[in-house]
Amino acid sequence: MALAIVGSLMEDAMVPQLNRRSTATKRVASAKIDSPKLFYRGTTDSQVRVASRSSPVVLGLVAIVVSCVSAGRPMAAQRPEPHQDVSVIQDEPWAVFRTPGLSDSQRSPFYRVEVQGQTADVYVTRPPAGDGRTDGAAFDRADRRSFSFATFQCGKAVDVRVQKVNGTFQKVRLRPSRKVGVDFDILQQDAQAGWVKIRVHKPGAKFSVEFIDQHFRQRRDIPRDALLLFADPMDDERQQFVGGPETNDGDIGVVMPGASLASVENKPVVVFQPGVHRIGDWKVPRSVQRIHLQGGAYVMGAIDARSVDGLTLTGSGILSGEDFPWRAQHGSNEPVMHDPWKTSIKLVDVGPNFTIQGVTLVNAPHFVCNTFDHGGTIRNVKILGSWRWNNDGFDVPRNGIVEDCFVSAFDDAFKLYHDHAMVRNCVVWQMNNGAVFQLGWFGKTVSDVRVSHIDVIHTEYTGTNENWGLVSMARHDGAGVIEDFVFEDIVMEGPVARMMGLHLHESPRQKVRDMRFRDITVDRWLDPSDYHNIAETGNVPSQADPSGETNVVGGDVQGLTFERLRVAGEFINQQNSQTTGRFTVIGSPEISFASGGASDDHSKSGSRDARQH
């Protein structure tokens, strides 16, 4: 039954009621809103009609609440006039997203997801078809892999039901494992019927639902048909928008599915409504200060905002690079064989003083998000569908922060190349290439970097390639000093081929000073003898270091300390660092291990007993 809600938007802010949704919680800066009467109608085909006189500002605000209405959820009306025919039903503190016009190739055939009984769209990304080049995706194509994903919003605990479409399962588990019982729990499951019910305890949860079935890789400990669920905070869409740049009446350009960008490129604020959009390689004009991808918006293209100072990119929508070939070039979309990082299309290129929040970035043709040494903030962003070489995640901004994100990269997940940077509260699924935290490839001087509370739920390494591991610095010819880095509270799940590769003995002019690791947990090391068998079907290449070394530290390193590094439940100290810890120390670096107890304090003095030549 259609639900009619009639209300008015007032210029003054309204205080939100507990567990209710409202169309505005604070004043839009400098907005001229003359309290127009709006009429919303939720229909079975997820369309929303807006009748009555409405300023562009109001239309922009309406766009933000459309996701709940289009999903069939009632919105609480504000200040209804006595003569109006009003049906006011308190809204539940959650919302799902749907994308009108989504194609079968973009919709997951593997899973159905319901939040509090309401169906959410489940999207899918698969390895792209090959074009004759060695792009790194051939093995995942042969393995018929996929990532399905769904985003919803919640303001408190909600129940999510996942139905596995293609059969039964033996077991189901959730990762990050240490968040089970804290952020989420399995309430019920029926393996024969193929469903599981999950309680998500709080907003912000990002987790993998992993069915152990006939398409599960036992040795690699990964599902070939992955499912990721993202529980966005309920107020993100509304507060991101109304707390944004100063806007006057007429400053908001609303993009309907299939519409051209020409009519909105002179607007300071651009809003993409739910539906499928194609924008190509969009060079964002300097006049645009805000881009908002509403929940349910599926935007195919790339955002090149290098010329924009202070861009804000927000929303619960999706930006997909599926229309571009691997390593496509600006201006031509023509691919090249070498790594053209200066000229290639990235999903998001930004200028100084940027903010990126909430969006999902999938199917990148090259790097996903490049900051070009600019300062900014990245929060609650999801990266996946990284199937090809050079699908790096975030270039962590100078004087900036990356937090509350999910990253699945087929190259370096986080590049730590800039001073005064922070990465925290992130979940990582590392594919079979690159480092989780990369320091290398050229000489550099960087200081004051903090990394904390990271869950690496999978590392798919099939060997110990020199740039693989939790932290890596591969050989290069440059010079510089990397100092004052802290990595703490990190959990690496499943079989781990390598934690560290600091090959500074092959880069004699590069120095490392004062790099600390605290409270690092590794489930277990991958046995080197299994590198060539780990694929089970022979579809994954082994790239083992010829030396067979697991964790390598060499060169001019002073003050490298490990406090409470634990592998397979055992703390690593000076005595077991070469055996259980599998550390190979080359040359004379200063490296020390402490398991955390008072008796281990002496090991922080810079002992080099773990040296191995």
Side-chain angles (χ1 to χ4, degrees), residues 30-53:
S30 303
K32 307 297 182 183
I33 301 178
D34 56 357
S35 302
K37 298 175 183 177
L38 302 179
F39 177 75
Y40 305 97
R41 181 179 299 276
T43 66
T44 55
D45 62 354
S46 299
Q47 298 299 312
V48 175
R49 299 187 179 96
V50 180
S52 176
R53 58 191 182 92

Side-chain angles (χ1 to χ4, degrees), residues 46-287:
S46 299
Q47 298 299 312
V48 175
R49 299 187 179 96
V50 180
S52 176
R53 58 191 182 92
S54 303
S55 70
V57 172
V58 173
L59 286 175
L61 293 173
V62 169
I64 291 184
V65 300
V66 163
S67 58
C68 289
V69 180
S70 63
R73 304 304 305 168
M75 294 294 298
Q78 294 189 19
R79 300 185 184 179
E81 298 179 6
H83 67 274
Q84 294 173 331
D85 181 13
V86 181
S87 299
V88 180
I89 301 176
Q90 178 168 305
D91 191 38
E92 299 290 344
W94 53 268
V96 301
F97 300 123
R98 296 178 186 165
T99 302
L102 201 65
S103 71
D104 289 343
S105 65
Q106 296 160 332
R107 191 185 305 276
S108 174
F110 306 111
Y111 304 104
R112 293 196 298 267
V113 172
E114 294 179 355
V115 181
Q116 294 293 118
Q118 189 71 25
T119 302
D121 270 344
V122 184
Y123 308 90
V124 70
T125 171
R126 296 182 176 92
D131 59 4
R133 295 178 296 157
T134 305
D135 61 357
F139 302 98
D140 287 326
R141 280 192 287 266
D143 242 6
R144 297 179 293 115
R145 291 192 62 184
S146 69
F147 276 87
S148 297
F149 60 101
T151 300
F152 56 92
Q153 289 186 342
C154 62
K156 64 174 187 179
V158 295
D159 291 343
V160 179
R161 188 180 189 275
V162 175
Q163 175 68 57
K164 189 172 180 288
V165 175
N166 58 346
T168 63
F169 60 90
Q170 291 82 52
K171 184 179 178 181
V172 62
R173 65 186 176 200
L174 309 180
R175 297 184 192 257
S177 298
R178 65 167 165 171
K179 300 295 181 66
V180 175
V182 179
D183 287 2
F184 38 77
D185 274 304
I186 293 177
L187 296 182
Q188 296 173 292
Q189 59 180 293
D190 187 328
Q192 290 303 308
W195 62 264
V196 59
K197 188 175 183 180
I198 302 163
R199 170 71 52 82
V200 179
H201 296 299
K202 58 186 179 182
K206 298 170 179 64
F207 59 100
S208 172
V209 183
E210 304 185 0
F211 294 97
I212 299 175
D213 58 12
Q214 70 280 1
H215 214 219
F216 187 86
R217 283 285 179 244
Q218 295 288 347
R219 295 192 189 187
R220 301 184 71 191
D221 200 28
I222 59 170
R224 288 191 294 180
D225 296 318
L227 173 63
L228 300 167
L229 298 181
F230 306 124
D232 278 1
M234 189 68 180
D235 290 337
D236 268 11
E237 287 254 322
R238 181 174 65 248
Q239 291 182 358
Q240 285 172 16
F241 191 86
V242 300
E246 297 252 334
T247 56
N248 292 310
D249 201 13
D251 283 348
I252 300 175
V254 179
V255 184
M256 305 294 289
S260 168
L261 295 176
S263 63
V264 300
E265 287 196 324
N266 63 338
K267 304 286 188 180
V269 179
V270 176
V271 176
F272 288 87
Q273 288 199 332
V276 177
H277 305 258
R278 269 192 161 92
I279 64 172
D281 181 17
W282 184 26
K283 187 172 180 59
V284 182
R286 288 187 175 90
S287 58

Side-chain angles (χ1 to χ4, degrees), residues 288-600:
V288 174
Q289 292 293 298
R290 186 64 170 267
I291 301 171
H292 187 83
L293 310 185
Q294 189 186 344
Y298 193 101
V299 181
M300 290 182 280
I303 293 175
D304 180 1
R306 287 174 290 175
S307 65
V308 180
D309 188 345
L311 178 80
T312 301
L313 170 62
T314 57
S316 293
I318 297 166
L319 179 66
S320 172
E322 65 197 75
D323 278 350
F324 302 114
W326 179 50
R327 292 178 174 173
Q329 301 294 287
H330 285 296
S332 67
N333 281 10
E334 290 298 322
V336 297
M337 286 300 296
H338 64 283
D339 180 6
W341 74 270
K342 289 185 179 180
T343 59
S344 65
I345 295 173
K346 287 67 170 189
L347 272 186
V348 179
D349 264 334
V350 292
N353 308 309
F354 67 90
T355 298
I356 307 174
Q357 182 166 331
V359 295
T360 299
L361 307 175
V362 299
N363 304 316
H366 200 249
F367 293 178
V368 178
C369 182
N370 216 15
T371 70
F372 287 97
D373 199 16
H374 296 133
T377 298
I378 300 171
R379 181 175 292 116
N380 188 31
V381 175
K382 306 91 173 174
I383 290 177
L384 67 154
S386 303
W387 300 108
R388 296 173 289 192
W389 290 324
N390 307 131
N391 279 171
D392 301 59
F394 294 118
D395 180 16
V396 181
R398 183 182 300 277
N399 300 312
I401 183 170
V402 176
E403 64 179 353
D404 301 322
C405 293
F406 175 89
V407 180
S408 177
F410 195 72
D411 212 314
D412 308 322
F414 303 90
K415 295 179 180 294
L416 302 181
Y417 293 174
H418 310 303
D419 295 332
H420 316 302
M422 180 179 293
V423 180
R424 64 187 182 191
N425 302 329
C426 293
V427 179
V428 180
W429 184 318
Q430 186 68 38
M431 305 292 277
N432 188 28
N433 190 41
V436 178
F437 297 99
Q438 181 62 260
L439 310 177
W441 299 122
F442 59 91
K444 59 181 62 64
T445 294
V446 185
S447 66
D448 185 24
V449 173
R450 299 291 183 267
V451 175
S452 63
H453 198 64
I454 307 297
D455 286 284
V456 183
I457 61 175
H458 292 288
T459 55
E460 298 193 17
Y461 304 134
T462 55
T464 51
N465 183 291
E466 66 176 359
N467 75 311
W468 294 358
L470 177 68
V471 176
S472 175
M473 188 160 197
R475 69 193 75 185
H476 59 80
D477 295 326
V481 179
I482 296 174
E483 60 183 343
D484 191 16
F485 275 53
V486 176
F487 299 85
E488 59 185 340
D489 189 18
I490 299 174
V491 174
M492 302 185 74
E493 297 194 48
V496 177
R498 164 172 282 173
M499 174 186 161
M500 173 170 290
L502 293 181
H503 293 81
L504 273 66
H505 54 290
E506 298 172 351
S507 306
R509 294 187 297 157
Q510 180 69 61
K511 301 175 173 57
V512 167
R513 300 287 184 267
D514 189 20
M515 182 176 289
R516 290 155 282 167
F517 292 81
R518 301 175 183 146
D519 298 307
I520 313 297
T521 299
V522 177
D523 268 5
R524 60 186 172 91
W525 297 127
L526 179 66
D527 191 331
S529 66
D530 204 28
Y531 289 164
H532 292 282
N533 300 319
I534 197 170
E536 298 180 52
T537 58
N539 281 332
V540 176
S542 172
Q543 297 194 38
D545 187 318
S547 69
E549 297 162 342
T550 298
N551 298 305
V552 177
V553 179
D556 192 350
V557 178
Q558 297 179 24
L560 177 62
T561 62
F562 294 89
E563 301 176 37
R564 298 176 298 280
L565 167 61
R566 186 164 54 182
V567 177
E570 182 178 349
F571 283 106
I572 305 303
N573 53 37
Q574 297 293 150
Q575 288 68 43
N576 66 4
S577 60
Q578 297 177 45
T579 54
T580 305
R582 293 191 185 176
F583 275 84
T584 297
V585 181
I586 301 171
S588 302
E590 283 187 4
I591 178 171
S592 64
F593 297 88
S595 60
S599 61
D600 293 304

